[in-house]
Amino acid sequence: MTDGPGESKAVLHTSRLLLREWRDSDRAPFAEMNCDPLVMRYFPGLMERRASDAFVDRLQELHECLGYTLWVVEVIDSERGTTPFAGFTGLMPPTFDPPFEHCEPVAEVGWRLLPQWWGLGIATEGARASIAHGFDVVRLPEILSFTVVTNTRSRAVMERIGMHLAGEFDHPRAQSDAHWKRHALYRMNPTDPRT
């Protein structure tokens, strides 16, 4: 684990997962995931390969600068086997200016997994490890999470990891009729119980 932001880059381990840095070999499966309509249902749209690769570049930069990022989820033990790439989970600053009150630095816990790895608690396990790193190592003052209000699966993960609903907001980049405009906002503080 890292000694502090920017000093070294974290790699996290759980009983079933390795949350690690991005490799060039992750780009193709990540791009494939970003073109899956089921995975991208609650996002503005599918992501082309160039945009997908640019996102990986950004995540690598964040890891270098902050010591944390949205890490690749490698499954090392599960009832469905193992994989070097199941998706991502971790921490990053929002990609937009938040239209709600927040502490600085602002950090969101997030996840995105390939459908074949849904339903195993992998997002929950990875998010818990990410939150522990964010509070115990990076010393973040709070961690946020948000998703489209109708995304019940992600909202259930947020509640399972101990986050509490703090309200709703309209995503500042969404058009007025966009299906992804209205978001639910969840928060967690270092002193909140972790489940």
Side-chain angles (χ1 to χ4, degrees):
M1 289 194 179
T2 183
D3 297 319
E7 293 178 20
S8 63
K9 294 178 283 186
V11 176
L12 309 183
H13 296 267
T14 71
S15 62
R16 300 184 299 164
L17 309 176
L18 171 64
L19 307 185
R20 61 164 174 79
E21 294 181 68
W22 289 80
R23 303 172 184 147
D24 283 342
S25 59
D26 301 317
R27 290 176 182 265
F30 184 55
E32 182 180 332
M33 181 175 74
N34 291 330
C35 286
D36 186 326
L38 189 60
V39 173
M40 303 302 285
R41 176 180 176 189
Y42 297 105
F43 291 90
L46 304 182
M47 192 181 290
E48 295 179 355
R49 178 62 189 259
R50 184 178 296 177
S52 181
D53 284 347
F55 191 44
V56 172
D57 293 342
R58 174 70 178 135
L59 296 178
Q60 290 175 320
E61 280 178 21
L62 288 173
H63 206 204
E64 190 68 37
C65 295
L66 302 176
Y68 59 86
T69 192
L70 296 174
W71 294 284
V72 170
V73 174
E74 190 169 316
V75 179
I76 55 177
D77 181 38
S78 83
E79 55 266 43
R80 289 187 202 155
T82 63
T83 183
F85 185 91
F88 68 64
T89 189
L91 303 163
M92 75 174 292
T95 58
F96 58 92
D97 187 23
F100 45 77
E101 288 186 17
H102 57 276
C103 298
E104 292 289 347
V106 125
E108 172 197 4
V109 61
W111 47 85
R112 188 181 304 169
L113 300 175
L114 290 162
Q116 59 265 41
W117 299 100
W118 294 1
L120 296 175
I122 288 173
T124 301
E125 187 172 326
R128 283 181 177 138
S130 300
I131 284 173
H133 180 77
F135 286 145
D136 300 340
V137 179
V138 183
R139 303 294 182 190
L140 293 169
E142 72 173 347
I143 294 175
L144 308 175
S145 198
F146 40 82
T147 188
V148 175
V149 292
T150 54
N151 187 351
T152 55
R153 292 178 71 102
S154 276
R155 292 183 68 171
V157 172
M158 295 169 194
E159 291 165 9
R160 272 197 298 274
I161 61 179
M163 303 192 93
H164 58 274
L165 181 64
E168 296 182 3
F169 68 96
D170 289 335
H171 197 293
R173 291 189 181 155
Q175 299 294 323
S176 59
D177 60 347
H179 72 278
W180 56 279
K181 178 180 180 181
R182 196 70 179 160
H183 276 58
L185 172 66
Y186 286 76
R187 296 182 188 271
M188 191 171 192
N189 297 315
T191 56
D192 287 340
R194 300 184 204 172
T195 58

